[in-house]
């Protein structure tokens, strides 16, 4: 099974110059925990998570209404291609300690995949379980 078969193609993204507050509101409105940060044309520049907002903005006493997303986003992105095997992508998620990854084709975001997406597919549940186990084990030992 490929990532393209299980990805969510309804991607909500944020521009690098938008405020952290705008990103947080998008996450709340769409009930999601991560947003790809995209330049014009959907080009992936980073990813911002709810954890980034808490640790890099709120905990640092920055003003979320003034701070641009580009200041707190993660630039080292783990992503997958739509034709990539699910098991390979799940392995990279585990190695990178991430629960969500953007799906990128020709430099543009075309979808998002979360561990939950893997877990909901019977054929992918083992990959999801292994990835979650690896993420949880590695987090405890840090």
């Amino acid at each position: 099974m490929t990532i393209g078969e299980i990805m969510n193609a309804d991607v909500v993204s944020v521009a690098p110059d938008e405020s952290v507050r705008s990103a947080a509101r998008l996450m709340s409105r769409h009930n999601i925990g991560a947003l790809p940060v995209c330049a014009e044309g959907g080009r992936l520049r980073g990813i911002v998570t709810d954890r980034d907002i808490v640790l890099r903005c709120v905990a640092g006493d920055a003003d979320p209404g003034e701070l641009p997303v580009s200041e707190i986003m993660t630039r080292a992105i783990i992503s997958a291609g739509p034709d990539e095997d699910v098991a390979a992508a799940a392995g990279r998620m585990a190695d990178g300690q991430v629960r969500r990854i953007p799906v990128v084709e020709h430099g543009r975001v075309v979808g998002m995949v979360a561990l939950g997406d893997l877990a909901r597919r019977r054929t992918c549940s083992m990959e999801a379980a292994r990835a979650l186990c690896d993420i949880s084990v590695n987090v405890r030992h840090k």
Side-chain angles (χ1 to χ4, degrees), residues 29-102:
R29 186 177 310 125
H30 295 281
N31 193 31
I32 54 178
L35 292 168
V37 180
C38 298
E40 233 175 274
R43 295 258 177 221
L44 185 62
R45 295 293 177 243
I47 191 163
V48 64
T49 66
D50 45 10
R51 181 176 166 86
D52 293 331
I53 291 171
V54 170
L55 296 179
R56 297 178 182 163
C57 179
V58 176
D61 289 329
D63 181 352
E66 296 294 322
L67 190 67
V69 169
S70 61
E71 293 291 319
I72 67 162
M73 71 183 187
T74 299
R75 294 174 196 279
I77 308 159
I78 295 170
S79 64
D83 296 327
E84 187 170 343
D85 181 70
V86 168
R92 275 206 321 288
M93 291 169 80
D95 291 344
Q97 300 284 291
V98 296
R99 290 174 168 82
R100 303 168 280 259
I101 58 173

Side-chain angles (χ1 to χ4, degrees), residues 3-140:
I3 288 295
E5 294 175 83
I6 65 167
M7 73 180 189
N8 180 352
D10 295 326
V11 180
V12 178
S13 65
V14 65
D17 59 347
E18 287 190 57
S19 72
V20 171
R21 178 175 288 131
S22 294
R25 286 182 176 158
L26 280 171
M27 288 179 187
S28 176
R29 186 177 310 125
H30 295 281
N31 193 31
I32 54 178
L35 292 168
V37 180
C38 298
E40 233 175 274
R43 295 258 177 221
L44 185 62
R45 295 293 177 243
I47 191 163
V48 64
T49 66
D50 45 10
R51 181 176 166 86
D52 293 331
I53 291 171
V54 170
L55 296 179
R56 297 178 182 163
C57 179
V58 176
D61 289 329
D63 181 352
E66 296 294 322
L67 190 67
V69 169
S70 61
E71 293 291 319
I72 67 162
M73 71 183 187
T74 299
R75 294 174 196 279
I77 308 159
I78 295 170
S79 64
D83 296 327
E84 187 170 343
D85 181 70
V86 168
R92 275 206 321 288
M93 291 169 80
D95 291 344
Q97 300 284 291
V98 296
R99 290 174 168 82
R100 303 168 280 259
I101 58 173
V103 181
V104 179
E105 189 170 41
H106 307 298
R108 291 182 169 79
V109 177
V110 295
M112 290 289 288
V113 172
L115 279 181
D117 298 323
L118 300 176
R120 282 189 288 276
R121 297 287 184 128
R122 289 181 192 261
T123 57
C124 302
S125 60
M126 286 305 296
E127 287 89 348
R130 279 190 208 115
L132 183 57
C133 181
D134 288 347
I135 289 168
S136 299
V137 168
N138 289 331
V139 168
R140 272 189 254 141

